Amino acid sequence: LIAANAGLVETLSSEGPFTVFAPTNEAFAGLLDILGDDFNSLSDFDTDAEIDILIKVLTYHVVAGIEAFSTDLSNGQMIGTVQGENVTISLNGGVFIQDATDMDAQVIIPDVDASNGVVHVINKVLLPQVIVDALQPNIVELAIATNDLSLLVGALQQADAGLVELLGTEGPFTVFAPTNAAFATLLDDLGDDYMSLADFDTAAEKELLTNILKYHVVAGAAVNSTYLTEGQVIATALEQNLTVSLTGGVFITDANSNSAEVTTADAMASNGIVHIINKVLLPSTH
């Protein structure tokens, strides 16, 4: 593990003092499972970018300049790490270390005394926010990984208007993403000339599809559902508005006074947020 960063080996062999939160072998195996098939062992961190990620993770487990035994820790205490971000201590039902994820690491063996500090063995690899952000898919990757959004992905590709590339940029964006069933209903409503998204094949039809898709995108903001308010008017990338209704759920009303329900809210991406809806929103054609 630490051999991945010779500089860290040298640092942790120096006088210190240090406090180190040390994940078990099982904790690292769990991290590799999360990262997928490209990472079967730590040796798969072999490019400069991947080694940089590993260094950020490892240094997030090291506190320099203090030797903090478990009895020195307090509930809610924030501790700065060598990586630069803080970890937070929770003493509710044990000793837990909170990172940038929703899952805390538990100290399972506290206070392993060393000549230059103290080690606390933990059952999870801690991840700083910079790594959590890097591991999150962008909006396009999230849509591709979501089976029920495959027709949305197909529509973005068929429009051939640079929307795939746009939604892969930094953002932030908010996307109201229609399900496959919603796109199937749209095709039914359009009649026999539109049996599939491939039937949007002329320049005028591609422009129509592009406008529909842009009507589902809010540029410049990642809007969590908790920030939506009754009657709120939202400007889209098409420069036409949507309206929010919170009566009986979360609904988005289009220019034709038809409402789509948000069926899955707040799917987080590295460059924004996605709300899955059950209807394709249609802009005004006037």
Side-chain angles (χ1 to χ4, degrees):
L1 162 63
I2 297 180
N5 178 6
L8 187 54
V9 172
E10 294 168 359
T11 298
L12 293 178
S13 299
S14 64
E15 183 177 350
F18 301 102
T19 300
V20 176
F21 300 104
T24 62
N25 291 345
E26 290 80 6
F28 273 103
L31 175 64
L32 292 172
D33 286 342
I34 292 171
L35 294 176
D37 293 339
D38 289 339
F39 295 91
N40 295 308
S41 71
L42 291 170
S43 62
D44 289 327
F45 290 85
D46 51 10
T47 68
D48 288 344
E50 290 167 348
I51 291 172
D52 182 61
I53 288 173
L54 187 55
I55 290 171
K56 285 185 171 67
V57 171
L58 294 174
T59 54
Y60 190 54
H61 293 75
V62 179
V63 181
I66 62 171
E67 185 179 38
F69 287 86
S70 60
T71 52
D72 300 320
L73 302 176
S74 59
N75 195 49
Q77 180 181 1
M78 299 179 69
I79 301 175
T81 69
V82 170
Q83 182 267 339
E85 296 183 43
N86 295 331
V87 294
T88 303
I89 305 301
S90 171
L91 300 181
N92 296 319
V95 178
F96 296 88
I97 314 300
Q98 298 174 336
D99 60 5
T101 72
D102 295 328
M103 184 179 295
D104 299 346
Q106 184 173 11
V107 174
I108 56 176
I109 303 176
D111 305 330
V112 180
D113 201 2
S115 61
N116 61 344
V118 62
V119 174
H120 304 291
V121 179
I122 56 176
N123 66 350
K124 172 185 174 291
V125 177
L126 303 169
L127 297 178
Q129 189 65 53
V130 65
I131 299 302
V132 171
D133 291 344
L135 293 177
Q136 275 188 326
N138 63 36
I139 287 172
V140 174
E141 293 166 338
L142 176 63
I144 291 171
T146 305
N147 290 335
D148 205 24
L149 298 181
S150 60
L151 288 182
L152 172 61
V153 174
L156 291 168
Q157 295 168 332
Q158 183 66 23
D160 194 23
L163 295 177
V164 172
E165 292 76 14
L166 174 66
L167 293 175
T169 62
E170 185 175 350
F173 303 100
T174 301
V175 173
F176 297 101
T179 62
N180 289 347
F183 272 106
T185 299
L186 174 66
L187 293 171
D188 286 343
D189 292 343
L190 291 175
D192 292 341
D193 289 339
Y194 295 91
M195 303 302 293
S196 73
L197 291 168
D199 291 325
F200 290 87
D201 52 6
T202 68
E205 289 167 341
K206 285 179 180 287
E207 182 181 9
L208 172 62
L209 184 57
T210 297
N211 288 341
I212 290 172
L213 293 169
K214 289 171 68 176
Y215 194 47
H216 292 75
V217 177
V218 180
V223 183
N224 189 287
S225 63
T226 57
Y227 292 100
L228 299 176
T229 59
E230 177 67 30
Q232 181 180 1
V233 175
I234 300 175
T236 70
L238 185 61
E239 298 183 351
Q240 290 192 33
N241 295 333
L242 300 168
T243 305
V244 176
S245 171
L246 301 180
T247 302
V250 178
F251 296 87
I252 309 299
T253 303
D254 65 18
N256 303 288
S257 299
N258 294 314
S259 294
E261 184 176 7
V262 174
T263 56
T264 302
D266 304 328
M268 298 300 300
S270 62
N271 61 342
I273 194 165
V274 174
H275 305 295
I276 298 177
I277 58 176
N278 66 351
K279 178 183 179 298
V280 176
L281 302 166
L282 296 178
S284 172
T285 57
H286 303 292

